[in-house]
Amino acid sequence: MLEIRLYLAQRISAAIMAPLVLLHLGLMIYAIQGGLDAAEILGRTRGSLFWGGTYAVFVIAVSVHAAIGLRNVMREWLQLRGPVLAGLSWFCFALLLAAGLRAIVAVVATP
């Protein structure tokens, strides 16, 4: 039952990530071709709840997706099982989530 839930969570997170990856790549191309520098980009993102929320959803989806993928790798390659596997999986999720949310705060929060 757990494996089915993890499978579904990973597929749902992938479905959420796909359009957000395209949006992110499109924004990067726009910024580069438009000649924007870091200060101009930060000027446009500071205080934006829209961009903060959009990237928060992206970070959550990536954290879920990657943690489940790493769980599968740890189970297959390292032969981990039970509470050790669960604990390391949760740790990976928490680490990715914390790093991603910290980056969002750095880009969106007003100084």
Side-chain angles (χ1 to χ4, degrees):
M1 188 63 146
L2 175 63
E3 295 302 319
I4 293 171
R5 288 183 181 167
L6 291 173
Y7 176 86
L8 291 173
Q10 193 170 40
R11 295 319 179 263
I12 291 168
S13 66
I16 293 168
M17 284 175 11
L20 294 175
V21 166
L22 294 175
L23 174 67
H24 179 70
L25 290 174
L27 288 172
M28 288 180 9
I29 291 168
Y30 170 77
I32 291 169
Q33 288 183 345
L36 297 176
D37 62 15
E40 291 170 320
I41 292 169
L42 288 175
R44 293 179 183 199
T45 60
R46 292 278 186 222
S48 173
L49 292 178
F50 173 77
W51 289 117
T54 300
Y55 277 99
V57 170
F58 191 25
V59 164
I60 292 166
V62 167
S63 299
V64 167
H65 190 83
I68 295 169
L70 288 171
R71 180 186 185 279
N72 290 332
V73 169
M74 289 186 288
R75 189 184 70 233
E76 292 174 14
W77 289 12
L78 302 177
Q79 303 296 310
L80 297 178
R81 301 283 187 266
V84 173
L85 179 61
L88 284 173
S89 300
W90 279 107
F91 176 75
C92 291
F93 170 74
L95 186 65
L96 292 167
L97 184 65
L101 293 178
R102 184 174 184 263
I104 291 168
V105 169
V107 172
V108 175
T110 53

